[in-house]
Amino acid sequence: MTLAPSRNIVHPGLGAKDADGVEVIKPRPPAPTRPPSRPASQATTQAAAQAPAPAALEPAPAAARISLVLIDDNRLLREGLAAMIHRQPGFRVLAASADVEEALRKVRESSPDVVLLDFGLVDHDSLSLTATVHAEVPEAKVIVMGLLAMQEDVADYVRAGASGFIMKDASFEDFFSTIRAVAGGAQILPQALTRSLFSQIASKAGASGKPGQASKARILESVRLTARERQVIDLLSEGLSNKEIAQRLHIAVHTVKSHVHNVLEKLALHSRLEVAAFSHASRSTKEVGP
C-alpha cells in the first residue's frame, strides 16, 4: 500500500493548526546577535580619542639673557661687536649707537643689565657719561672698553661708577667673561693694571695730607678682624676674584663673599677696590714708620 505524503509535519504542543486541523511548525525567531567583541587595544584607543584633549603644555621659559646697550662712535667696531654679541648665546643687544642721547634714552627706558661704553668717544666725555648712567640707572652696570694703561683714568672711572673694564687686547673669552661677571654683580679690573692701580691709589692717599689720613691707614690694626678676614683683605689687595680667593684659601666661594661683606662693614668701606687701597695704605704706613 502506498502512503500519501502528508502536507504538514505534526509536532505536538506547538499549538497552531492549518485548515485541516493539523498542527503546523512555526519558524523560531532568530536568536539576538551580539556585536563582535573588539580587542581591548581598539576600545582603549577609541576611548582615548573621545576623551577631551589635555591642555597644551606651557613651553619652558628661555634662560634669562644679559641685555646690553653699546655706545661706540666707531661704526665698524660698533657693528662688529654687536654682531659678535648677537651670535653668542645668552646675550641680547638692545641698542648699538654712536648717538649718546639716543643711547641714554634707551638705557633709561629699558634698564639694561650692562652698558658697554667706549673710552675714547670723540664728541662726548665718557667719564661724565659713566657718572650719568650710574646716577640715573644704577642697575645698569657700566663696562668701559678700550681703556689705555693709565691708572689715573681707571680710578676716576671707578669713582664715577664703572663696574668693569675691557682692554683693547682682551681675548674673546675675556670679553664675554667680563660681561657675565659684571652683570652678576662683580667688579672687574684689568689684571695688568690691578697691582699698579692699588699702589697708585694708596700713594695718593698717603700723600694727600688730609687730616686723619695717617690714622685712617692704621684702622686695620684696631678693628677686630678675624685671621681669615685679614687673609681675604691681603688677597683682595692682590686683585684676586672671589673664586681665586676661595681656591687659594681652600674655602667655598659663598664663604669668601661673606668675609668680604664683613670686612666692608667693619671698615665702613663700599667696594673691594677701597678695601685693597686701604690695605696698601696700611702696609705703606708700616714700612715708612713714624
Side-chain angles (χ1 to χ4, degrees):
M1 182 178 66
T2 304
L3 297 176
S6 61
R7 289 178 297 173
N8 294 293
I9 301 173
V10 178
H11 287 267
L14 293 183
K17 296 181 181 180
D18 63 5
D20 298 329
V22 179
E23 293 184 355
V24 183
I25 298 175
K26 287 186 177 180
R28 294 182 179 179
T33 58
R34 296 182 180 179
S37 60
R38 292 174 297 174
S41 58
Q42 181 181 355
T44 304
T45 303
Q46 183 174 352
Q50 295 174 350
L57 295 177
E58 292 289 339
R65 293 187 293 173
I66 297 174
S67 57
L68 303 102
V69 169
L70 172 61
I71 306 175
D72 195 316
D73 53 13
N74 183 320
R75 179 177 179 180
L76 183 62
L77 181 59
R78 181 179 69 251
E79 293 182 354
L81 284 175
M84 181 178 70
I85 296 170
H86 178 72
R87 289 194 299 269
Q88 186 73 7
F91 294 87
R92 182 164 56 108
V93 179
L94 302 179
S97 177
D99 187 329
V100 171
E101 293 304 321
E102 177 186 343
L104 273 177
R105 178 181 57 79
K106 188 65 176 179
V107 170
R108 294 184 184 109
E109 290 177 353
S110 59
S111 297
D113 298 308
V114 172
V115 174
L116 294 175
L117 174 62
D118 178 30
F119 170 73
L121 293 177
V122 176
D123 297 326
H124 293 85
D125 181 0
S126 299
L127 182 61
S128 299
L129 188 55
T130 299
T132 299
V133 172
H134 181 66
E136 296 186 12
V137 192
E139 59 272 24
K141 309 300 182 184
V142 178
I143 296 179
V144 182
M145 302 184 300
L147 192 65
L148 299 176
M150 298 174 61
Q151 291 81 15
E152 294 85 355
D153 291 327
V154 178
D156 289 340
Y157 274 92
V158 170
R159 283 190 287 268
S163 297
F165 301 87
I166 296 176
M167 302 292 286
K168 288 183 176 180
D169 59 350
S171 66
F172 179 87
E173 182 180 354
D174 289 341
F175 180 82
F176 285 105
S177 63
T178 297
I179 295 176
R180 290 189 185 96
V182 169
Q187 294 176 302
I188 305 297
L189 290 173
Q191 190 65 34
L193 300 182
T194 301
R195 289 182 181 274
S196 56
L197 172 63
F198 288 150
S199 299
Q200 188 255 346
I201 293 176
S203 298
K204 277 189 174 182
S208 62
K210 292 181 181 179
Q213 191 65 49
S215 61
K216 203 172 183 180
R218 294 188 176 91
I219 290 180
L220 282 174
E221 298 180 3
S222 59
V223 174
R224 294 181 178 178
L225 296 170
T226 66
R228 183 66 83 188
E229 288 169 350
R230 290 180 181 276
Q231 287 178 317
V232 170
I233 288 175
D234 290 339
L235 296 177
L236 281 175
S237 68
E238 295 179 18
L240 272 63
S241 66
N242 286 348
K243 183 177 180 181
E244 291 169 332
I245 294 174
Q247 292 172 345
R248 184 77 64 87
L249 299 179
H250 305 291
I251 58 179
V253 175
H254 68 83
T255 304
V256 175
K257 292 181 180 179
S258 177
H259 287 314
V260 172
H261 175 76
N262 292 339
V263 166
L264 291 174
E265 283 198 342
K266 289 181 179 181
L267 298 180
L269 299 176
H270 303 287
S271 70
R272 300 161 63 92
L273 181 62
E274 291 184 4
V275 172
F278 212 76
S279 175
H280 278 283
S282 177
R283 291 178 187 176
S284 299
T285 302
K286 289 180 180 180
E287 292 171 1
V288 173

